[in-house]
Amino acid sequence: MSPSSKAFQPSSPGSPISGCRRKSRFTYKNLCQLALSSSSCPLRIIAHIDLDAFYAQCEGVRLNLPVEQPLAVQPEQQWQGLIAINYPARKYGLTRHMSIMEAKKLCPNLTMQHVATWREGDESWAYHQDAFAQIATHKVSLDPYRLESRRILACIKDVLPAPPLQRVEKASIDEVFLDLSAQIHSILLERYPEINGPPPYDDPTEYLPPPPITVLDWNTDALVDLDNTETEDDDPDWDDIAMLIGSEIVRSVRTAIHERLKYTCSAGIAKNKLLAKLGSAHKKPNQQTIVRNRAVQNFLREFKFTKIRNLGGKLGEDVISKFGTDQVTELLAVPLEQLRSKLGDDTGSWVFETIRGEDTSEVNSRTQIKSMLSAKSFRPFINTGDQALRWLRIFVADIFSRLLEEGVLENKRRPKTINLHHRQGGQMRSRQAPIPTGRSVDETLLFDIAKNLLGQIVLDGRVWPCSNLSLSVGGFEDGPAGNRGIGSFLVRGEEAKVMMANVRDHGHEEHEEHHPEKRRKFQGGALERFLVSKQSKNEKPTREMSLDEGGEDLESSPSPLPSAIFFQEESAYHKDRTENLTPVQVQAQSKEDTSNFADGRDLAIEPAIKPYFCDECSKSTLLDSRQEHEDWHLAKILQAEYEAPNSPRPAFLQKFKPAQIQRGPSTVGKKRTHQVQSGKQAEKGQSRLVFQS
């Protein structure tokens, strides 16, 4: 065992505190940045938790196998290969993608478990005993592992304090980043009251007092050895104290996961995400590695830079080809200017900082998913539409189970588009359709759209045999916030009873108060609405009429309100007021009511109806609607003359002349008169109305 992995590793001798303690390198401003989880804070603490051989662990926990039992998981896409091997099996030399026959030779007591699969025609995944022999009709399902991942994430969040102190990012199905800065800040102030106060002279750039302790107990953590310029004899600073507290928090999280769910995990604790991820893989399984700030350079010297986060793939290959090395140690000697000249300014600067362990990326509480895909390569090919539809149903169920994680049922996030890809021979066909926003996203909706897309592809012809089908959804967007369902506008239970009682007591009085009447709806064209003019007439009302509350057509006349309706309302009103009274109270109430009447009727509920009778069309309306009614007559005249200038007018419209528009008080009439009198030429596309005197 190396000195850095001992159970207890002092950071300085356990001698009493001497009088010559050096000052802290950190300021009160840095302490405030820690509380805000600032990515530029030098005291920042990030942890990365990685489940050990996650798929294999899930199957071992499900089957309740002993921890020391070798186990391997085989997939559907590579029937003779392995995708997960637990650590007891790795002791026998087993590796991923090794064939089953080779694995059995190296480890005869190996337990082989096939992943869960979707079977053609089924609507849910399951563990099938014959999945190994049914390559043509089964598709791998990762849903069991997603479900366990959700349970583990929920456990982690339960152990940590509630937001805003809690910042958790799910990096993948078996990885989680934790920003522990804010939580560590609160613990620091609690444990060390000497820093829980304003800075001297209220100057945030003042340095913090040195930590009051010189020995740190790292428990069973794996400590990375310090850089060559550092020694364990140096007293710890506040970054070491923060790192120690972070290791305590992570240890409690790992313990809770194991005790509650029986899973083991490894962890890395460092000042940023880059170093924390490398640290979690440094000592596996079931350990946590501490990368102190004073040990970063020594830690990175062990790695090929292609192992560093975001430095693999094409970028890593480009760096290797231009500098002839994949070692961090050799690339550290390359000057910044040379990196910029060969890789570009931005990329060169980023590589320069990354190989030195600098990373300011933040821990995002939610990583937004852009798309989801479910696909199947067919061996042998499928040849009918019925087979394709059965697989589409499986794809939809697979995607919908993942949409549940995105909160589609709670309307948190939902996809906007759905895509279907079909391969026949060397030809790939694709179809896309929008997902209706007015409906909730469910399996039925997705399947109907997918079936329609498949029908469009089939109409193109030459689609069979099909070698590959894939269905995907994308264009995710956040659901509307603050919307209320219709149920929130409804009143139920006792509240509804009280409201109905109030309506019975006061409804008639409020109903009979004066309210603005509804305006009639115009069914005419734009010309009628544009040329509305007001006229003044002095006709006398002859009988009571009522405006149709439904907004009747201008062609029809308002219907009269029989006087019986009023008395029926009055009777109902009187009944409501007296139905729960004794005979003596009823008589007293009647006297009180009649004392307010001049002619035997309640003035409070007397309808304020002032009728108007039109002599031109022998129809009645309210006096308040007289101007509107006369404007209607004028509009009818103008419309008739516009459509047929030489046609005779109806007899009852003979007295109306279009010239009356000049005498009307309406603004529209005045504007039109001014234009006619001024002789202004009509613009292109306009025509002048013909007025007869």
Side-chain angles (χ1 to χ4, degrees), residues 419-538:
N419 301 270
L420 179 65
H421 299 274
H422 172 283
R423 180 179 293 277
Q424 190 268 334
Q427 184 178 9
M428 175 69 77
R429 295 182 176 92
S430 301
R431 292 293 184 274
Q432 184 184 81
I435 298 175
T437 57
R439 295 178 56 184
S440 59
V441 178
D442 54 24
E443 291 188 55
T444 302
L445 174 63
L446 296 178
F447 179 71
D448 289 342
I449 300 175
K451 183 169 62 174
N452 182 51
L453 295 178
L454 179 63
Q456 297 177 25
I457 293 176
V458 171
L459 288 177
D460 291 344
R462 296 182 59 84
V463 295
W464 313 116
C466 173
S467 60
N468 180 277
L469 269 181
S470 65
L471 188 70
S472 64
V473 294
F476 280 83
E477 61 182 359
D478 294 331
N483 283 10
R484 297 169 59 190
I486 191 172
S488 62
F489 294 93
L490 304 179
V491 182
R492 302 179 178 86
E494 296 298 327
E495 186 179 358
K497 294 179 181 179
V498 174
M499 181 176 291
M500 291 302 297
N502 292 335
V503 170
R504 283 196 299 269
D505 293 340
H506 307 290
H508 286 275
E509 295 180 5
E510 295 177 357
H511 179 72
E512 296 301 336
E513 292 179 358
H514 178 72
H515 293 284
E517 291 81 357
K518 292 184 179 179
R519 300 187 63 181
R520 290 179 179 271
K521 295 181 180 179
F522 286 90
Q523 292 188 353
L527 180 63
E528 293 181 65
R529 295 194 298 272
F530 181 77
L531 295 177
V532 171
S533 175
K534 296 183 179 180
Q535 303 181 63
S536 58
K537 289 193 176 184
N538 297 319

Side-chain angles (χ1 to χ4, degrees), residues 94 99-112:
L94 273 64
S99 69
I100 298 175
M101 298 301 295
E102 292 175 324
K104 284 288 188 180
K105 288 180 181 179
L106 295 175
C107 183
N109 64 333
L110 179 67
T111 299
M112 294 294 305

Side-chain angles (χ1 to χ4, degrees), residues 294-451:
R294 295 183 289 161
V296 171
Q297 291 304 314
N298 187 55
F299 178 61
L300 289 177
R301 291 180 189 276
E302 304 176 7
F303 292 94
K304 295 180 178 180
F305 58 75
T306 52
K307 300 293 184 182
I308 296 178
R309 183 167 170 260
N310 297 327
L311 246 179
K314 293 183 178 180
L315 177 57
E317 294 174 359
D318 188 32
V319 175
I320 293 174
S321 64
K322 291 179 178 178
F323 295 95
T325 182
D326 61 356
Q327 298 294 322
V328 171
T329 304
E330 298 179 9
L331 198 61
L332 284 171
V334 179
L336 174 60
E337 291 72 16
Q338 189 175 351
L339 287 171
R340 287 178 172 176
S341 63
K342 292 189 176 183
L343 301 176
D345 289 343
D346 294 338
T347 303
S349 299
W350 180 83
V351 171
F352 182 84
E353 295 177 355
T354 298
I355 60 177
R356 287 164 174 78
E358 299 300 327
D359 176 26
T360 58
S361 58
E362 296 187 355
V363 173
N364 299 315
S365 297
R366 181 62 184 166
T367 302
Q368 302 291 358
I369 294 177
K370 297 180 179 179
S371 63
M372 293 180 181
L373 171 71
S374 185
K376 170 71 176 178
S377 295
F378 303 109
R379 301 290 187 276
F381 302 156
I382 60 174
N383 294 282
T384 66
D386 290 340
Q387 287 179 294
L389 286 177
R390 287 196 291 268
W391 282 109
L392 283 184
R393 189 172 294 280
I394 290 176
F395 295 162
V396 166
D398 184 21
I399 290 176
F400 186 72
S401 66
R402 283 180 273 167
L403 287 175
L404 296 179
E405 290 187 60
E406 291 298 297
V408 67
L409 292 183
E410 298 83 9
N411 204 31
K412 294 179 181 178
R413 296 194 78 218
R414 57 177 289 150
K416 295 197 301 185
T417 59
I418 184 169
N419 301 270
L420 179 65
H421 299 274
H422 172 283
R423 180 179 293 277
Q424 190 268 334
Q427 184 178 9
M428 175 69 77
R429 295 182 176 92
S430 301
R431 292 293 184 274
Q432 184 184 81
I435 298 175
T437 57
R439 295 178 56 184
S440 59
V441 178
D442 54 24
E443 291 188 55
T444 302
L445 174 63
L446 296 178
F447 179 71
D448 289 342
I449 300 175
K451 183 169 62 174

Side-chain angles (χ1 to χ4, degrees), residues 180 235 408 481 530 539 552 560 658:
L180 305 174
D235 291 327
V408 67
F530 181 77
E539 288 83 352
E552 66 177 10

Side-chain angles (χ1 to χ4, degrees), residues 200-263:
Y201 316 109
D202 290 330
D203 183 3
T205 61
E206 284 288 328
Y207 290 100
L208 293 167
I213 58 176
T214 58
V215 178
L216 302 180
D217 183 4
W218 295 99
N219 204 292
T220 58
D221 297 340
L223 279 178
V224 175
D225 294 332
L226 297 177
D227 297 340
N228 295 333
T229 58
E230 303 286 343
T231 67
E232 295 290 353
D233 293 334
D234 296 330
D235 291 327
D237 207 340
W238 288 110
D239 59 339
D240 297 313
I241 305 298
M243 199 78 68
L244 178 66
I245 296 174
S247 70
E248 296 172 1
I249 297 172
V250 173
R251 192 179 301 112
S252 65
V253 170
R254 293 173 52 236
T255 301
I257 293 173
H258 185 260
E259 291 179 350
R260 300 180 189 180
L261 304 175
K262 300 181 180 180
Y263 291 101

